[in-house]
Amino acid sequence: PNLAGAGANMEIHRPKKPIDGLRDLAKEVGVIVIGVAIALAGEQVVETLHDRHVAAEAREAVRAEIVYNLRLIRMRQAQDACVDRKLTEVAGLLEADELRKRPERPGWIGQPADTFTAEGTWAAATGAGRTALFGLNEQSRYARIYSYFLAFNFEHSREQAAWAQLRALETWKGAIGEAGRLRFSAALQDARYERYKLAMLAWLAGVDAKAVGLSAGSDAEVLGTSGLKELPHAVCVPITTPRDQALASLSDPAGQPQ
């Protein structure tokens, strides 16, 4: 390589004024330090603004998911009157069987609609470290609300299992008998207790959500935002309804369990 030719195009600038003494050296170093500090400060400002944007985006998504869950829970609570009535009817049927009154077999038991809450947005934001950008108090409140949602899903699964046991009354032949009454009484008690637990968890979630300015909103907003239509719920169909008629009255694309 022609190093001589390459070097011929280079220009070397000498300092306008040679550094003379410690004072001049301190000035030069100070200028460098100030320049570096300004650059670092600018980078920190950009990073802070970016973090604020990321936090705001995550906060908006998490809060939207909380409202969605609150509205799903409201849909579940709208069935409570039907749940209570059906459980009372089942209790009366078991009592009548115990007194050997030969109660009429129920044509339809049904069950509360599945209303499981979501946690995908919260899990994604937490996994990506975005919720760590929230303040500690705000992060703690959101985490507590989601703990209620997770507990709600767990208890709701248990509720569905209890109603699955009660639905066996639809096809039970002959007298229920002592063993049958024991089985169905246990399922009845489980369903009642889960009804209570779900109501308590719904209340707790609502209290903490209200503390951060969130709520399910009006009934119209519940139906509109959740994308659910106001359809007949299986648990609200009268207990004396024959199964084929009950199925015909329900608009459930997934059908109904046996």
Side-chain angles (χ1 to χ4, degrees):
N2 187 1
L3 299 179
N9 296 324
M10 296 178 61
E11 295 184 7
I12 301 176
H13 297 277
R14 295 181 179 181
K16 295 181 180 180
K17 182 180 179 181
I19 297 176
D20 184 16
L22 293 177
R23 178 175 295 180
D24 288 346
L25 177 62
K27 289 181 179 179
E28 293 293 334
V29 173
V31 169
I32 295 173
V33 170
I34 292 173
V36 171
I38 292 174
L40 291 176
E43 182 179 353
Q44 185 63 44
V45 169
V46 171
E47 184 177 350
T48 299
L49 292 176
H50 176 264
D51 286 348
R52 287 181 179 177
H53 173 73
V54 169
E57 185 180 61
R59 180 181 293 107
E60 181 180 2
V62 166
R63 289 172 68 86
E65 186 174 61
I66 290 174
V67 170
Y68 176 79
N69 287 338
L70 292 174
R71 291 176 177 177
L72 283 178
I73 291 175
R74 174 80 69 79
M75 291 291 292
R76 169 61 186 81
Q77 290 179 305
Q79 304 168 52
D80 282 348
C82 294
V83 168
D84 293 341
R85 180 169 59 251
K86 189 63 67 69
L87 292 178
T88 298
E89 291 173 337
V90 169
L93 186 152
L94 296 177
E95 181 180 358
D97 184 85
E98 184 177 9
L99 297 175
R100 303 183 186 279
K101 292 184 178 181
R102 295 180 177 271
E104 182 180 354
R105 285 290 173 268
W108 181 258
I109 296 296
Q111 73 288 326
D114 286 335
T115 48
F116 290 97
T117 61
E119 60 165 329
T121 300
W122 173 255
T126 301
R130 294 189 171 191
T131 57
L133 300 174
F134 300 165
L136 180 59
N137 183 57
E138 181 184 18
Q139 187 177 2
S140 297
R141 284 188 178 276
Y142 291 150
R144 188 163 58 247
I145 293 171
Y146 274 93
S147 72
Y148 296 141
F149 290 156
L150 289 175
F152 184 93
N153 287 347
F154 176 77
E155 301 299 343
H156 186 46
S157 293
R158 291 174 60 87
E159 179 187 48
Q160 291 293 320
W163 280 86
Q165 295 296 317
L166 294 176
R167 282 198 305 273
L169 284 167
E170 294 177 3
T171 56
W172 193 278
K173 304 297 184 183
I176 297 176
E178 184 177 353
R181 287 196 303 273
L182 182 62
R183 168 189 171 184
F184 290 122
S185 294
L188 177 64
Q189 186 59 30
D190 286 344
R192 283 172 168 168
Y193 184 63
E194 294 306 327
R195 155 80 170 82
Y196 160 77
K197 291 289 289 294
L198 291 175
M200 178 60 68
L201 289 167
W203 178 76
L204 290 171
V207 169
D208 271 9
K210 185 177 180 180
V212 293
L214 299 175
S215 70
S218 66
D219 290 343
E221 290 173 321
V222 169
L223 292 173
T225 302
S226 67
L228 300 175
K229 296 181 180 179
E230 194 170 8
L231 299 172
H233 296 295
V235 73
C236 293
V237 176
I239 196 171
T240 56
T241 307
R243 181 176 177 81
D244 57 344
Q245 293 183 21
L247 292 174
S249 69
L250 299 172
S251 302
D252 190 343
Q256 289 290 316
Q258 295 290 336

